[in-house]
Amino acid sequence: MGEMSSFQLGVIGALFLSVASSVSIVICNKALMSNLGFPFATTLTSWHLMVTFFTLHAAQRFNLFESKPIDMKTVVLFGILNGVSIGLLNLSLGFNSIGFYQMTKLAIIPFTVLLETIFLKKQFSQNIKLSLLLLLVGVGIASITDLQLNFVGTILSLLAIITTCVGQILTNTIQKRLNVSSTQLLYQSAPFQAAILFVSGPLVDQLLTKQNVFAYNYSPIVLAFIILSCIISVSVNFSTFLVIGKTSPVTYQVLGHLKTCLVLTFGYTLLHDPFTDRNIVGILIAIFGMGLYSYFCTQENKKKQADPLGSQMKEKDAAPFLGPQKEGHEVKNLNKDSLV
């Protein structure tokens, strides 16, 4: 019971940190990009990852965590994949309408479910699928305003969905199978994510904005917001790996849509963004779907605890906001260094 309570507290802490830091960085970046006119999102993300790596490197030097070597091929491919997925998501936003971009983000959950069902043999109950459907409908109602399709934008969106889903599934799988913590994995992979975005970011941003990040006039207030954004990003990146490792990629996406609802609410409350009855109805439906998802996951975990042998034979994706997820110790001993 003590171990279970500790796990639940860890999950609650990870979820709270993820929500708080993500909402904070969205508000900070919105001020930076919309109000101060700094449009270079991909390059900014590369700076985020570099600051995250140097922060973790300093923490490791002070023995705040132990670095664990991971097979170089696994780390490089994982880092590049995550870096490419970020670039593709930004390109998708640039080449599509905001409504279609929101549809792209909504499609990540069902595609993740599909991939985990096919390749990881996970099984999702009808109750879980129903709660996810309600969540997606609610977020769609609240956030999608227009749908404008074009060929290039559609291809970029499909590639963004695939790379994002695979990257998040690997984030969970690597931590479980190689027995590494979220901090250790982020520390090993952040330099490669930063490198791919540091090289491609200025090109992607120039393609989308027709401006050169190196020719931009950096005022003191812009620099202050960039520094603040980089500081918050350390918490965002750390909590992302932590949440996916402790729960599942699907639960992380559910949490992401909770952040969307909170951002819409804060935008109306703090920034006086337009807010309609449709937004309210959509947010309420989404929150109801999230509640059902957490409830059904918790119930399925209780069944797994009551019948541990059955749960080993028939694994389900039951990683709720408050429920423990047992790791398969038998796969950890196969190979602790490489997944490739």
Side-chain angles (χ1 to χ4, degrees):
M1 290 300 293
E3 182 180 350
M4 186 185 305
S5 299
S6 176
F7 186 95
Q8 290 177 338
L9 288 174
V11 172
I12 293 171
L15 294 170
F16 178 80
L17 179 64
S18 179
V19 171
S21 58
S22 295
V23 173
S24 298
I25 203 169
V26 166
I27 294 173
C28 177
N29 287 348
K30 184 170 184 179
L32 178 62
M33 295 178 185
S34 300
N35 300 337
L36 299 176
F38 182 84
F40 309 106
T42 310
T43 303
L44 180 63
T45 304
S46 73
W47 298 344
H48 288 170
L49 287 163
M50 282 190 286
V51 171
T52 298
F53 169 73
F54 287 123
T55 302
L56 291 177
H57 184 67
Q60 191 266 333
R61 293 295 296 269
F62 282 102
N63 297 318
L64 296 180
F65 74 94
E66 181 182 354
S67 176
K68 181 175 181 179
I70 305 175
D71 174 67
M72 183 59 67
K73 183 179 179 181
T74 298
V75 172
V76 170
L77 292 177
F78 174 73
I80 291 175
L81 176 66
N82 278 323
V84 168
S85 73
I86 294 171
L88 286 171
L89 282 170
N90 287 338
L91 284 171
S92 174
L93 178 58
F95 279 86
N96 292 304
S97 65
I98 293 177
F100 192 80
Y101 175 72
Q102 289 294 338
M103 282 290 293
T104 299
K105 292 172 67 177
L106 291 178
I108 291 174
I109 282 184
F111 198 81
T112 300
V113 170
L114 178 64
L115 288 180
E116 290 196 309
T117 301
I118 294 175
F119 295 104
L120 300 182
K121 308 303 180 184
K122 287 191 175 183
Q123 296 185 9
F124 297 80
S125 69
Q126 293 300 319
N127 287 335
I128 295 291
K129 292 176 183 177
L130 174 62
S131 63
L132 291 174
L133 178 61
L134 282 175
L135 164 67
L136 296 177
V137 169
V139 175
I141 292 173
S143 61
I144 295 176
T145 55
D146 65 315
L147 285 176
Q148 299 176 10
L149 304 180
N150 66 81
F151 179 75
V152 175
T154 301
I155 296 298
L156 289 171
S157 292
L158 289 174
L159 292 174
I161 291 169
I162 293 171
T163 53
T164 300
C165 292
V166 173
Q168 291 180 359
I169 290 172
L170 284 177
T171 301
N172 179 273
T173 304
I174 291 174
Q175 290 184 57
K176 295 290 190 296
R177 296 192 178 180
L178 301 188
N179 194 24
V180 295
S181 69
S182 56
T183 309
Q184 290 168 333
L185 179 58
L186 179 59
Y187 177 60
Q188 294 287 339
S189 62
F192 301 102
Q193 296 182 59
I196 190 71
L197 290 175
F198 189 76
V199 172
S200 63
L203 300 176
V204 171
D205 288 333
Q206 186 159 13
L207 177 64
L208 296 177
T209 66
K210 311 302 180 186
Q211 299 181 53
N212 188 338
V213 65
F214 301 110
Y216 182 81
N217 183 24
Y218 291 87
S219 65
I221 190 170
V222 167
L223 289 174
F225 269 87
I226 289 174
I227 292 171
L228 178 61
S229 179
C230 288
I231 292 172
I232 300 173
S233 73
V234 177
S235 177
V236 173
N237 291 324
F238 172 72
S239 62
T240 295
F241 278 60
L242 188 62
V243 168
I244 295 177
K246 283 186 172 292
T247 59
S248 72
V250 173
T251 297
Y252 175 73
Q253 285 299 320
V254 171
L255 187 68
H257 292 305
L258 171 61
K259 299 171 194 174
T260 299
C261 294
L262 290 175
V263 167
L264 289 172
T265 304
F266 286 142
Y268 170 72
T269 305
L270 301 177
L271 306 176
H272 305 291
D273 290 341
F275 210 65
T276 65
D277 292 340
R278 174 178 170 175
N279 297 129
I280 296 173
V281 171
I283 288 173
L284 291 175
I285 293 174
I287 291 174
F288 180 65
M290 293 174 205
L292 286 179
Y293 176 78
S294 185
Y295 172 77
F296 289 138
C297 283
T298 302
Q299 294 301 112
E300 292 186 8
N301 265 336
K302 289 180 179 178
K303 292 180 181 178
K304 289 170 68 176
Q305 293 163 17
D307 183 17
L309 293 178
S311 66
Q312 291 176 4
M313 297 296 295
K314 190 177 182 180
E315 181 184 9
K316 296 188 178 214
D317 183 73
F321 292 105
L322 300 179
Q325 181 180 19
K326 295 185 178 179
E327 299 180 4
H329 296 285
E330 68 279 2
V331 297
K332 288 182 181 179
N333 296 323
L334 294 179
N335 189 335
K336 292 189 176 182
D337 297 316
S338 175
L339 281 179
V340 180

